[in-house]
Amino acid sequence: MMKRMFSFILALVMGVSLTACGTGTETGSESEDTVKKETAQVSDEEKASESSSDNDITPSSETAQETENTEASEVVQETEPSAAISDYNPEHFETDTLTWEFDSTTGTLSIHGEGPMRDYSGEAPEWEQYKEQILTVTMDEGVTSVGAYAFYNYLYLTEVRLPDSVEEIDVSAFDYDWSLRTVNIPASLKYVGSRAFYNTLLWEPADLVFPEGCEYIGDEAFHSALKSGGIVSLPSTLKYLGSQSFTNAFLSDFIVAADNEYYYSDNHAIYTKDMKEMLMLAPIAAHSGEYRIPDGVERISVECFNVIQGIETVYIPASVTEIEEMAFFSTFDLKEIIVDEANPNYKSENGMLLSKDGTLLLAFPDGIETNELVIPEGVERIGAYLFYGRTEGSYSVILPESIREIGTMSLPCCMTSITLPASLKTIDKFVFYSGISVESITYNGTAADWENITIEDGNVALDSAVINMN
């Protein structure tokens, strides 16, 4: 089972506890099919301070209290912008003049009026009371923005119809809407906030064509969202393409306008214009056999080779001096990574990718078929999400005595056994997450040594595990 399917199933399982039945036509204390509400008038167009990266990925307690996201989504890899950041700064409004109505017979929420929608990062919208009944969202021509967290975690929402007047889709506007299949890209769109469509199920339209005038697509904006197998087309006006904005998505190609000043597309991948950073590779492009990263590329971004199909060998040139952890996250068909011997920072060993000194293991390709995952001697840190894509079968994990740190979510989901060396100092977040299965854990140190290990949050499976110690 591929990782994208595994992640989606995890999301559905977590969502089961969140669903509440109710199909009657009455809503709240109202007996009519249509309920109307009006928000307060704007006295001043007050701007909220621009969201920080932490706010971009963390919902407010009021809007997030109904869901506990899967552990994999808790850890977000932060990266520096690879191009000039857009000077387009969206305004965040505390109030608006929009009105809304919900039709319980059709499950349609309609937003009426003109102007921007308020920011809901601090409190839930009034239509939240119908979130388990809302199937479709429509907005009048004249609405200019979708507010932050306006439809966060609406599990039954399947279709969104946006007017061409919408210029901004703010942070996490449709984040975790697992059933959302259809949305249109407005002709006036300028800004898409971080995680705006994170972990949705977009099938229509098959191709996402962003209009001229669009300047900013935030971090993880469409991460794990696109299932259509289509193409993403980016305009000449785009100034910022966020980290992981289209990764873990079922895409066949990226096309960047030739006159874009900041980005360039070639061979199904997106690069910075100077070709120094490789950002993303389309997973289901017509890949066959091998993929050669162009000479001159210096940096490979996080999740660049995520869920790639059809590639068995990746060649890394000597010019690459920085490879982020998770760059080769869930690689399926990949059997080997070959690094140019002249590369100053990295090397390959038996198909694996390591730092030049052998202390950091960055990739253990999923295509290396074995149930005995042997980490090379000398490795001190296992990179984040190293074996997360191995969701079938059960594995024994053999760690060398040199290991000092196990990275976030780096182990396979099912293990017959794992032996932790006495050299171990740190177990990062969610290594032994709640869904992991391990039959036998052996620790080669003493109970006193175990107490000195730093065990970070999310390792709940260790609470109930029997750990054999010396």
Side-chain angles (χ1 to χ4, degrees):
M1 181 185 299
M2 294 188 300
K3 178 258 175 184
R4 63 173 176 276
M5 296 176 63
F6 175 67
S7 298
F8 182 61
I9 289 171
L10 272 179
L12 290 177
V13 170
M14 294 298 292
V16 168
S17 62
L18 307 177
T19 61
C21 297
T23 57
T25 57
E26 292 189 8
T27 52
S29 60
E30 300 292 335
S31 59
E32 298 181 357
D33 288 338
T34 303
V35 181
K36 297 186 177 181
K37 281 286 184 179
E38 184 168 322
T39 58
Q41 294 283 336
V42 176
S43 56
D44 293 296
E45 292 187 347
E46 299 178 328
K47 295 182 182 179
S49 60
E50 189 171 3
S51 299
S52 68
S53 60
D54 286 341
N55 288 335
D56 286 350
I57 65 171
T58 306
S60 66
S61 59
E62 293 183 51
T63 56
Q65 61 186 357
E66 293 185 70
T67 182
E68 292 293 332
N69 298 341
T70 59
E71 289 86 351
S73 68
E74 293 287 344
V75 181
V76 177
Q77 198 82 9
E78 295 183 358
T79 60
E80 291 297 320
S82 56
I85 295 179
S86 170
D87 56 5
Y88 181 83
N89 296 311
E91 293 182 299
H92 301 274
F93 296 91
E94 294 183 2
T95 59
D96 61 38
T97 57
L98 303 178
T99 61
W100 62 272
E101 61 180 354
F102 175 64
D103 186 341
S104 63
T105 61
T106 63
T108 300
L109 176 73
S110 301
I111 309 293
H112 301 303
E114 296 183 352
M117 185 183 295
R118 62 166 295 186
D119 183 331
Y120 289 105
S121 59
E123 61 179 328
E126 292 184 345
W127 56 74
E128 183 93 348
Q129 59 188 302
Y130 304 116
K131 69 181 295 183
E132 293 177 359
Q133 298 171 265
I134 294 173
L135 306 178
T136 302
V137 171
T138 67
M139 299 181 192
D140 286 354
E141 187 68 34
V143 176
T144 58
S145 71
V146 182
Y149 294 96
F151 303 98
Y152 174 83
N153 195 36
Y154 279 52
L155 300 182
Y156 303 100
L157 179 61
T158 61
E159 181 178 6
V160 173
R161 303 174 202 153
L162 300 174
D164 282 338
S165 54
V166 167
E167 297 180 355
E168 302 167 4
I169 302 173
D170 215 337
V171 171
S172 290
F174 301 99
D175 191 348
Y176 269 96
D177 291 354
W178 294 325
S179 299
L180 182 57
R181 295 177 61 89
T182 303
V183 69
N184 60 298
I185 301 297
S188 300
L189 187 64
K190 295 181 180 179
Y191 172 93
V192 182
S194 297
R195 293 173 66 106
F197 293 94
Y198 183 92
N199 209 17
T200 52
L201 190 66
L202 298 180
W203 287 90
E204 298 177 7
D207 297 335
L208 282 188
V209 180
F210 291 85
E212 285 296 316
C214 184
E215 297 182 1
Y216 188 106
I217 299 175
D219 296 351
E220 299 187 301
F222 292 88
H223 188 289
S224 306
L226 302 164
K227 315 299 179 184
S228 65
I231 297 170
V232 169
S233 296
L234 302 174
S236 64
T237 52
L238 189 69
K239 297 179 181 179
Y240 180 77
L241 183 64
S243 171
Q244 301 163 274
S245 51
F246 293 101
T247 53
N248 195 30
F250 202 65
L251 291 169
S252 60
D253 210 353
F254 294 109
I255 299 175
V256 179
D259 53 348
N260 186 289
E261 296 181 18
Y262 302 104
Y263 301 100
Y264 175 78
S265 59
D266 182 57
N267 196 17
H268 312 296
I270 300 179
Y271 301 86
T272 52
K273 192 70 172 186
D274 57 10
M275 290 290 290
K276 290 186 177 180
E277 181 174 1
M278 186 176 181
L279 301 171
M280 287 169 257
L281 182 63
I284 63 164
H287 301 305
S288 59
E290 64 180 46
Y291 195 93
R292 292 182 178 271
I293 296 172
D295 191 25
V297 170
E298 298 177 359
R299 186 171 189 256
I300 303 174
S301 293
V302 61
E303 291 197 65
C304 182
F305 284 83
N306 187 12
V307 299
I308 299 298
Q309 300 180 35
I311 297 176
E312 295 185 355
T313 304
V314 171
Y315 293 90
I316 298 177
S319 59
V320 172
T321 56
E322 183 179 358
I323 301 174
E324 294 207 43
E325 289 190 22
M326 294 172 59
F328 293 89
F329 171 32
S330 294
T331 47
F332 303 142
D333 299 328
L334 187 63
K335 295 180 179 178
E336 61 177 349
I337 298 171
I338 298 177
V339 181
D340 190 304
E341 291 184 358
N343 190 294
N345 292 352
Y346 301 99
K347 68 177 182 178
S348 50
E349 180 179 322
N350 297 324
M352 294 175 279
L353 173 64
L354 299 97
S355 59
K356 195 72 171 184
D357 62 5
T359 60
L360 172 62
L361 179 59
L362 284 161
F364 194 122
D366 292 353
I368 299 176
E369 296 182 1
T370 177
N371 291 104
E372 192 173 78
L373 305 175
V374 181
I375 307 302
E377 290 291 336
V379 171
E380 297 180 2
R381 172 177 165 80
I382 300 174
Y385 289 81
L386 191 76
F387 295 119
Y388 185 69
R390 291 180 180 258
T391 59
E392 291 184 332
S394 192
Y395 302 88
S396 61
V397 179
I398 301 173
L399 306 178
E401 286 299 323
S402 55
I403 287 290
R404 298 178 63 82
E405 183 175 3
I406 303 175
T408 297
M409 298 287 289
S410 58
L411 299 179
C413 66
C414 296
M415 292 176 284
T416 55
S417 64
I418 183 170
T419 299
L420 305 175
S423 59
L424 183 64
K425 301 299 182 184
T426 303
I427 299 176
D428 287 357
K429 292 181 179 180
F430 303 110
V431 173
F432 292 93
Y433 56 93
S434 60
I436 205 167
S437 171
V438 55
E439 296 176 19
S440 172
I441 301 176
T442 299
Y443 176 56
N444 284 339
T446 65
D449 294 332
W450 180 261
E451 292 300 319
N452 291 324
I453 296 176
T454 299
I455 301 177
E456 298 188 355
D457 295 341
N459 287 287
V460 295
L462 289 178
D463 295 338
S464 58
V466 176
I467 302 174
N468 304 307
M469 300 186 188
N470 291 336

